[in-house]
Amino acid sequence: AIPLLADLAAPLPGRGALPPRAHLHSDAPRQLLDGTWQVRLHPSPRHAVDDGWQQPDARLDPADWSPVTVPGHLPLQGHGSPIYANVDYPFPVDPPFPPDDNPVADHRLELVAAPEVLAHPTVLRFEGVDGAATVWLNGVELGTLRGSRLTTELPCAGVLRPGTNVLAVRLAQWSAHSYLEDQDMWWMPGIFRSVTLLARPQGGVRDVFVHAGYDHRDGSGTLRVEVELEEGADAPATISVPALDLHGVAAGVEHRLPSVAPWTAETPVLYDAQVATATETVHLRIGFRTVTVEDATLLLNGTPLLFRGVNRHEHDPHRGRVVDLATARAELLLMKQHHVNAVRTSHYPPRAEFLDLADELGFYVILENDLETHGFERVGWRGNPSDDPQWLPAYHDRMRRTVERDKNHPSILLWSLGNEAGTGANLDAIAQWTRDRDPDRLVHYEGDWRSRHVDVYSRMYASVPEVEAIATEPPAETFTDPDEQHRRRLPFMLCEYAHAMGNGPGGLSEYQDLFHRYPRLAGGFIWEWVEHALAGGTTDDGRPVQLYGGDFGERVHDGSFVVDGVVHADKTPGPALADLARVFAPVSLDLAPDLSTLTVVNRYHSLDLSHLEAVWTSDGDGSGAGTPIPLPEVPAGGSAVVPLHLPPSALATTVTVLLRRRAAGDGCPAGHEVAWTQHVPARPVAALENDPVAPRRIGGGLVELGPAAFDERTGMPVRLGELALHDVAVSLWRAPTENDRGVASEEPDLPPVADRWAAARLDDLRTRLVEVGEDGPALVVRTRTGPPVLDAGVDVTWRWTSDGTALALDLTVEPYGSWPCDWGRVGVDLRLAEPTTRVSWTGWGPGPQYPDTGQAARYGSFVADRDDYAVRTVRPQEHGARRVDEATVELDTRALRVRGAGLPLTVRPWSRAVVAATRHDHELPAATETWISVDAAVSGVGTASCGPGVLPGYRLAPSPQRLHVLLQQVDRLR
Ligand code: IPT
C-alpha cells in the first residue's frame, strides 16, 4: 500500500492543523519563507519515491532538482502545464478517488529561523497551496494541507531549531479535494500564496472576533470583542479604541457607544483598535455597520442597499492566482473609478490582505467559500459530495476556515457557502453553522433556488423579464409552501449576470433600470471583473500572445470561456468597463427636451451630492471647463428638478451636463466624472454641396460619376478619386461574437445565432446585377443578393449621385422570400488596398456601440488608432462599430471621408471571414488592407455566451432598410 495514495483519496480535512483563526496584524515576530525553493517532479504518487528526501541530511542528486519561486504555480514555471476546464472534471468522476495520472512535486527549502521567531513557540502558516500537500519539517511530518485557497497553520514547536532547518512539501495536483474545487478557472498546482513562520508568544492573542454594530435610529454603536488567548496568559486581554475613548477595556463585554460614524462603502470610516496582552498586541480596524433584511429588502444601517458588483477572481497573466497587493489595490481603485461598490470573491477567499483593502477603500464583499462541485452536473449530480455524509467534515472544515480567517472585516456583509455545488445536507449544515457562528452577517448560496437555508434569494443569469417577475411576485402569504413563503421574504440579487465575454455584455441598462425601480432587488455582480488569459510571450512582430483553454494541449477544455471580463488579464480596461461605469453611476441625470430643467436622482446609499459640482458645456464632448449649475441639497435617495436657464441658442448645440468631483477622494482624482447626460440636437442631413453632375460612359466598361468610376459589368464603384475601391457589396453578416456563438438561455432548444447564420449561409451571399440605369443625374443600380441554397434574399437599389466632389449613395434594401434567421447587420462593405493608420470621427465615442451596449458613448469628436478603432479581443470577433456623422479613415497617403447620420462604421484590416476563422488575436495577419463597413442597422450583442440572448427590441429581423451616405476621397489629415 502506498500511504500517499490512501491519503489523497480521503475525503477528509487535512491533518495536524491548529483550529482556524483570524488573520491578525500582530507585533509578534514572523519570518516570511517566500523566495526560491527547490522542486522535483514525479508523474504520479506511485512514482513518488520514498528516498528520505524530507530529511535534513538526505543525499540528493542535484540533477533531479530545480529552483521554483514561492509563491507561484508550477505549470507557469515550466513544471507541467495549465488546464482550463469550466464545469467538466479533467479526470474520471470517481469520487473520492483522484486519477493515478497525478503530478507530484516535492518541494524543499533550507531555512535558518530568525532568533526572535525561535524565541517563542512557532507555527508554520500556508495561505494557499493549490493541490493536496504533506508537510515535513526536519523530517518530522507536521500535517497535510487540503483546501487550496484556505489558510492552514501547523504547529512546529519542538521541531523548529536553531541553525539550518529543512522544510519539505510533497504536493499532488489531484486528490479527493479536487472534487470540491471545480471552479471555472485554470487548474494550476503550486504553493501560490505566502508561507510564513509565526512566533506565537505565550499568553498572546490567538484569535479575535469583533462585533461592531450601528444603530441608524440614534447613531450609536455597539462593540463587543471576543478574544481567545494562547496558553500561559496570566491576565485577560484589553481593548483600546483611542478615537472612541476606549482605553484598556475588557474583552467579551458589549460596549455601547453613544455616537459613532458608520462604515459604508461610500464612507469607509475605520477606527484603529488594539487588542493587547502582556506579550502580544494586535492591530485591527473596526467599522460599525449593521446589515439586515426587512420586507424582503436588503438594508445597510437601515437604508436599502444596491450592489453594483463584480465577480473577482485573482488572476495575473504571468503569475496566475499570485496577485500582489499593489495590483489588488490598483484593481480596487479602478473599480471605484467605475462606480463598482461590491465584490463577490468568486469562488474562494482571496489573499487575506484583500479584505483590508476592501475595508479601507470601501467595498461590500460577498466572501465565498472555496467550494464547487459543478462537474457532478454532468453525471446527473450522482455522487455529489454536497449530499454525501462522508464529506461533511470537509465541508465544515472549509466553511469554518473561510469564516474564521476574515470575520473581522466590516466590508464582508455576506458569507457565501460556495458556488455551483448542487444541493444537499452538507450545504444545509454549513449554512446553519455559519449563521450560528456569525449572526451579524447574512448567508448566501445560489445553488439552491428554494433558498431554504439562506438569507438572500440569489440567482445567476436570470433574464430581465424573469428578474422583473421576481421583483413583482405576489406577497409571501399567498404561497402555501413554507419554503416559497420564506424565499418570498428574501431580497433578490444576481450573484452573476451580464457575462462580459468578447463584444458585450449587451443589455446592462435594462437590469439597472429594474434594480432602481424595485426595492426587493439588491442589484448584482457582473460576470466577471478580469479575463483569465495567460501570457504566452510575443510574436515575431511584437504582438502579445494571450492563451486560453486548449492552448496547452489539454484534451478536456473550454476554450476561450475563461476570457470573459470587463478588464483584460493585464488589468487594462475593455470597452465594457466604461459602459458599466455609466450604468452604475450613483447619480442619474435627465435633461428636459427643451433644456429647461435637469432632473437629478441621488442613488448613493448615504452620501448627499455636496462632493460634486455640476457644469454644462456646449458643442463639445463635455471636456471643457463648463458653466456651473447650482445644485440644491439632494440627500441620499432623494431627487431634485433643477432649473437650468440656458440661453435659447443652446438648444441647437450639443449640451453636455456633467457631475464631477470637487476634490480628490474615494479613489478618484478631483474632476472625476461621476455622471453625465447630453442633449444632441437634430443634425442636418449630410448632402452634396454643389449641383449634381451626370454619369458618363468613359470607355473600358466604366461609367464615371464625379470623382468615382463604376464597373458596368457589376454596377459597383471601383474608384473614388485616387482610391481604388474593391469588393463593394451589401452584407448581412458579422463575424460572430462570442455571444453570437452561445445558446441563449431563453431559447435553449435553438442553435446559437452564429449557427443560424451559418446554416443560412449569411456569410456567403451571392449577387446578381439586375440593371444599371440612370435617373436624371443619378446612376441607379439594382442588384439581388442572397445566399446559395435558399430562395430568400434582398433586393437592393443603389442610387448614386455626385456633385463632382463627393459621391452620395442612397441605398434601399428589401428582403424577399422567407428568411430563416435574423440578420447580424445590414450595410455596405468595401475594401481599400492599403492599411488605415487611424480613424477620426464626429459622432458617438470614444468606445464602440451596438444597440444594447455603448452606454458610455457620447457625442463629440474623437480619434483612434487602427487597433483601438477595431477593438481587438483575445479571440477575434465583430467589434468596434461607432455611430458617426462624419469620419475620416486615414491611409498612408490619402483618406476616405464618410458622412451620414449616426451610421455604424466599422474599420479593420481584415475581412470578416478572416476574423471569424482566427482563434487568437496574435494569429491575425499583419495589416495590409482596410475593410470598411457602413451600416443601415446592426443587431445587439446580448449575453448568450452565458445567459440571455439579445433582447427582442435589439434584434435585427429581416426588414426593409435604408442607408444614406456620402463618400469622398480627401487628403490625409495632419
Ligand atoms: C457560472 C459560474 O458560476 C462561473 O464560475 C462561470 O463559470 C460562469 O458561469 C460562466 O463564465 S455557472 C453557469 C452554468 C451559469
Side-chain angles (χ1 to χ4, degrees), residues 86 184 347 374 419-420 460-461 496 499 527 561 564 946:
N86 172 14
D184 177 11
H347 297 301
H374 206 164
N419 185 58
E420 294 281 11
M460 46 174 79
Y461 308 106
E496 296 177 20
H499 198 250
W527 189 268
F561 206 62
D564 53 359
C946 182

Side-chain angles (χ1 to χ4, degrees), residues 84 86-87 182-185 311 313 344 346-347 368 372 374 377-378 419-420 446 460-461 495-496 499-501 527-528 561-564 945-947:
Y84 166 57
N86 172 14
V87 177
D182 192 28
Q183 291 94 338
D184 177 11
M185 60 190 196
N311 281 277
H313 268 277
R344 173 176 177 233
S346 52
H347 297 301
E368 194 147 273
E372 174 158 343
H374 206 164
E377 190 181 69
R378 294 282 189 256
N419 185 58
E420 294 281 11
E446 189 272 348
M460 46 174 79
Y461 308 106
C495 67
E496 296 177 20
H499 198 250
M501 188 175 187
W527 189 268
E528 69 181 308
F561 206 62
V562 78
V563 183
D564 53 359
S945 56
C946 182

Side-chain angles (χ1 to χ4, degrees), residues 92-343:
V93 181
D94 179 22
F97 298 98
D100 276 4
D101 186 0
N102 183 3
V104 172
D106 293 338
H107 296 69
R108 247 178 88 102
L109 175 72
E110 293 191 2
L111 66 112
V112 177
E116 63 274 18
V117 171
L118 261 177
H120 302 274
T122 46
V123 306
L124 184 60
R125 180 174 73 190
F126 292 88
E127 295 184 51
V129 178
D130 213 310
T134 311
V135 179
W136 295 263
L137 185 63
N138 299 328
V140 177
E141 186 190 301
L142 297 183
T144 59
L145 309 180
R146 300 291 185 268
S148 295
R149 274 67 64 172
L150 299 170
T151 291
T152 305
E153 288 186 339
L154 301 171
C156 46
V159 186
L160 189 73
R161 60 196 186 201
T164 300
N165 293 266
V166 171
L167 176 59
V169 178
R170 174 163 274 185
L171 174 63
Q173 174 157 22
W174 309 116
S175 73
H177 283 257
S178 303
Y179 290 99
L180 308 186
E181 297 181 356
D182 192 28
Q183 291 94 338
D184 177 11
M185 60 190 196
W186 294 100
W187 294 95
M188 288 188 295
I191 302 174
F192 78 102
R193 288 188 190 150
S194 287
V195 183
T196 320
L197 270 176
L198 301 174
R200 300 300 318 126
Q202 292 224 328
V205 180
R206 201 192 100 78
D207 196 12
V208 175
F209 195 172
V210 172
H211 304 267
Y214 178 74
D215 187 337
H216 65 280
R217 290 162 305 185
D218 60 4
S220 68
T222 51
L223 178 65
R224 180 167 54 86
V225 183
E226 294 168 24
V227 180
E228 192 192 324
L229 298 181
E230 299 284 3
E231 276 171 28
D234 39 25
T238 58
I239 322 292
S240 299
V241 190
L244 294 172
D245 222 15
L246 294 176
H247 303 282
V249 301
V253 283
E254 182 158 296
H255 299 275
R256 286 203 60 80
L257 304 156
S259 171
V260 297
W263 185 96
T264 72
E266 296 162 8
T267 57
V269 180
L270 296 172
Y271 291 90
D272 285 325
Q274 290 91 47
V275 178
T277 69
T279 54
E280 185 178 17
T281 301
V282 307
H283 295 269
L284 295 153
R285 292 187 299 176
I286 294 175
F288 292 88
R289 87 281 177 281
T290 296
V291 55
T292 49
V293 169
E294 269 174 47
D295 292 336
T297 305
L298 180 66
L299 304 177
L300 179 73
N301 303 333
T303 301
L305 182 59
L306 190 59
F307 292 130
R308 302 181 184 96
V310 294
N311 281 277
R312 177 182 179 268
H313 268 277
E314 290 179 311
H315 182 75
D316 178 276
H318 301 279
R319 302 176 71 201
R321 284 184 286 279
V322 184
V323 176
D324 59 58
L325 271 189
T327 301
R329 178 180 281 272
E331 286 178 60
L332 288 173
L333 291 176
L334 196 60
M335 290 181 198
K336 277 274 166 193
Q337 287 152 16
H338 293 85
H339 314 312
V340 172
N341 73 355
V343 175

Side-chain angles (χ1 to χ4, degrees), residues 496-789:
E496 296 177 20
Y497 76 112
H499 198 250
M501 188 175 187
N503 184 352
L508 281 174
S509 310
E510 285 71 16
Y511 284 105
Q512 200 67 24
D513 289 347
L514 293 182
F515 300 160
H516 291 162
R517 199 170 319 141
Y518 298 108
R520 188 185 187 192
L521 305 182
F525 295 76
I526 302 291
W527 189 268
E528 69 181 308
W529 171 245
V530 63
E531 299 178 342
H532 307 211
L534 288 172
T538 51
T539 58
D540 292 344
D541 58 349
R543 283 217 63 84
V545 173
Q546 299 201 67
L547 301 175
Y548 52 76
D551 292 337
F552 298 91
E554 308 105 290
R555 310 265 300 269
V556 176
H557 71 83
D558 286 290
S560 61
F561 206 62
V562 78
V563 183
D564 53 359
V566 293
V567 170
H568 300 307
D570 65 0
K571 313 298 179 319
T572 55
L577 187 62
D579 288 348
L580 190 67
R582 179 89 196 289
V583 174
F584 276 4
V587 184
S588 301
L589 300 176
D590 193 24
L591 270 173
D594 65 356
L595 300 184
S596 58
T597 59
L598 173 73
T599 304
V600 180
V601 183
N602 179 351
R603 302 190 189 280
Y604 282 109
H605 173 269
S606 34
L607 291 182
D608 61 25
L609 302 184
S610 54
H611 63 294
L612 302 177
E613 62 177 8
V615 297
W616 67 274
T617 65
S618 180
D619 264 350
D621 59 3
S623 50
T627 309
I629 302 171
L631 275 189
E633 267 186 37
V634 188
S639 61
V641 178
V642 183
L644 278 184
H645 312 298
L646 302 191
S649 58
L651 259 181
T653 69
T654 301
V655 174
T656 308
V657 174
L658 292 172
L659 251 62
R660 53 194 191 202
R661 292 194 66 90
R662 292 178 189 280
D666 203 27
C668 303
H672 183 80
E673 281 177 21
V674 168
W676 61 269
T677 188
Q678 216 176 28
H679 156 83
V680 181
R683 288 99 56 217
V685 176
L688 297 174
E689 279 155 24
N690 300 308
D691 291 342
V693 297
R696 61 186 186 101
R697 294 197 156 58
I698 55 169
L702 295 177
V703 179
E704 188 183 79
L705 179 63
F710 290 74
D711 183 339
E712 273 191 290
R713 292 161 304 184
T714 61
M716 293 300 127
V718 292
R719 183 173 60 75
L720 180 64
E722 296 161 20
L723 286 176
L725 305 182
H726 305 271
D727 301 326
V728 178
V730 151
S731 140
L732 306 173
W733 187 62
R734 69 181 179 205
T737 66
E738 285 168 300
N739 284 316
D740 294 333
R741 294 178 191 271
V743 173
S745 56
E746 76 279 16
E747 295 176 334
D749 302 326
L750 291 182
V753 292
D755 293 4
R756 295 181 227 169
W757 295 339
R761 293 180 157 82
L762 213 59
D763 58 332
D764 188 18
L765 302 183
R766 315 293 172 86
T767 293
R768 175 169 66 81
L769 176 63
V770 178
E771 99 187 314
V772 178
E774 286 174 31
D775 177 14
L779 179 71
V780 180
V781 178
R782 293 200 299 114
T783 54
R784 178 165 257 221
T785 292
V789 183

